Amino acid sequence: MKQNRDRLESGAIERALGTSRFGRPLHVYDRAGSTNDLARELADQGAPEGSTVIALVQTGGRGRRGRSWQSPAGGLWLSVVLRPVLEAERWPLVGFAASVGAAAAVGDVTGALVRLKWPNDLIASGRKLGGVLVESSGSAAVVGIGINANLSLTDLPAEVRASAVTLMSLLGRPVDLETLAAAVLTQFERHHDLLQRDPGALLALWRARDLTVGRAVRISGVYDLEGTAEEVDGSGALLVRTAAGVQRVAAGEVSLRTVDASQS
Ligand code: BT5
């Protein structure tokens, strides 16, 4: 099985796409700073919804709130331009559509069960397999998806390795990265379209994979609080029961650590 560590062939991805918009057009780079930055440039130039950037390696991959995202060769690092028609309060749900779609795609291609930690962590075997970064640029949103596919754990720095997992470490074999890329775009489009038609149905699919509700959590960032995660509401915010009552925490602004488990 080819691991696509040296090259990604756009034609192979395009042939496997089951989409009408996502991955069209598709821009493939050997190396990028952050695919979110390249997608944002495309969005600012008026690129249509679905325009996608994929890079073999990111030298400046980003997580949320200025954190860095390790992106060596062998992972799937891609960003999609969206032009949401949802009211701004519900934009975080676009990230939910991406994480449910990515989880479903990994299941389709490998059979592995991927669960989700609020707001958008992809978790397999209790460790972080990937993540989603939603950024806005004017009326466009850029959604970045990262999945540790054909990486060895030793490809990641020690401080990240302790809480990370890769598909290769999980399965003991590489996956076809072009097939995985096409599957992620296909499932992201499907779940994005479901969100437009029926946000409640998309939330139900997210909740079916959720690991957060019912757990003791510690939130840091804009808010600092500790309590029990009680519910995710209709705009993707987390309701946390604390000693001072129920607090509503918006996605995107905070870090969440589950206190009763190792994942952060
Ligand atoms: C995320 O942030 O989980 C969002 C990651 C989004 C990455 C994609 S790749 C394509 C696109 N282009 C980009 O520049 N970004 C997107 P957050 O929840 O903030 O998690 C970041 C934290 O995860 C870091 O502080 C590390 O602790 C850990 N981490 C970093 N790299 C990792 C990796 N490869 N695997 C697992 N954990 C990692």
Side-chain angles (χ1 to χ4, degrees):
M1 162 103 49
K2 62 183 189 302
Q3 295 191 34
N4 315 100
R5 273 180 165 252
D6 306 320
R7 205 163 161 259
L8 276 171
E9 208 201 302
S10 55
I13 300 173
E14 280 158 359
R15 282 192 294 280
L17 282 175
T19 63
S20 62
R21 301 174 331 277
F22 287 26
R24 304 172 191 279
L26 180 68
H27 304 266
V28 179
Y29 292 84
D30 286 342
R31 181 173 286 265
S34 159
T35 54
N36 263 40
D37 289 340
L38 296 178
R40 178 193 291 245
E41 281 169 28
L42 290 174
D44 292 347
Q45 291 158 17
E49 174 157 286
S51 303
T52 298
V53 177
I54 301 188
L56 263 184
V57 173
Q58 293 186 118
T59 52
R62 281 201 302 279
R64 295 175 304 128
R65 302 179 61 235
R67 289 187 286 246
S68 70
W69 183 257
Q70 302 296 327
S71 316
L76 180 66
W77 323 125
L78 65 81
S79 300
V80 181
V81 174
L82 295 182
R83 301 209 172 267
V85 288
L86 290 170
E87 60 273 36
E89 208 213 13
R90 294 194 130 192
W91 278 30
L93 294 178
V94 165
F96 284 52
S99 51
V100 177
V106 170
D108 290 347
V109 173
T110 70
L113 175 64
V114 177
R115 312 219 34 206
L116 302 171
K117 199 184 90 177
W118 185 88
N120 298 135
D121 282 2
L122 307 179
I123 306 289
S125 292
R127 288 159 173 255
K128 186 152 170 163
L129 177 69
V132 169
L133 175 68
V134 183
E135 295 178 320
S136 59
S137 184
S139 63
V142 170
V143 181
I145 301 175
I147 299 176
N148 296 331
N150 297 334
L151 303 181
S152 301
L153 284 172
T154 50
D155 292 325
L156 296 170
E159 69 275 12
V160 168
R161 203 180 303 155
S163 58
V165 69
T166 74
L167 286 177
M168 197 144 78
S169 67
L170 205 61
L171 305 169
R173 60 177 163 80
V175 298
D176 187 309
L177 209 53
E178 287 148 350
T179 303
L180 182 65
V184 166
L185 289 164
T186 301
Q187 289 286 15
F188 182 15
E189 181 178 287
R190 184 174 297 165
H191 289 88
H192 172 269
D193 290 354
L194 176 63
L195 169 62
Q196 310 306 313
R197 286 197 312 277
D198 188 349
L202 187 268
L203 270 168
L205 293 177
W206 186 90
R207 289 188 180 114
R209 293 182 187 266
D210 172 45
L211 289 167
T212 315
V213 167
R215 307 282 285 271
V217 295
R218 186 174 303 136
I219 304 277
S220 53
V222 175
Y223 322 82
D224 259 314
L225 50 96
E226 236 179 279
T228 305
E230 228 177 43
E231 192 193 325
V232 170
D233 75 11
S235 52
L238 184 67
L239 305 184
V240 181
R241 178 164 296 280
T242 71
V246 175
Q247 315 266 337
R248 183 175 182 276
V249 183
E253 296 166 10
V254 295
S255 293
L256 177 144
R257 184 170 288 271
T258 41
V259 178
D260 53 353
S262 57
Q263 325 124 21
S264 62

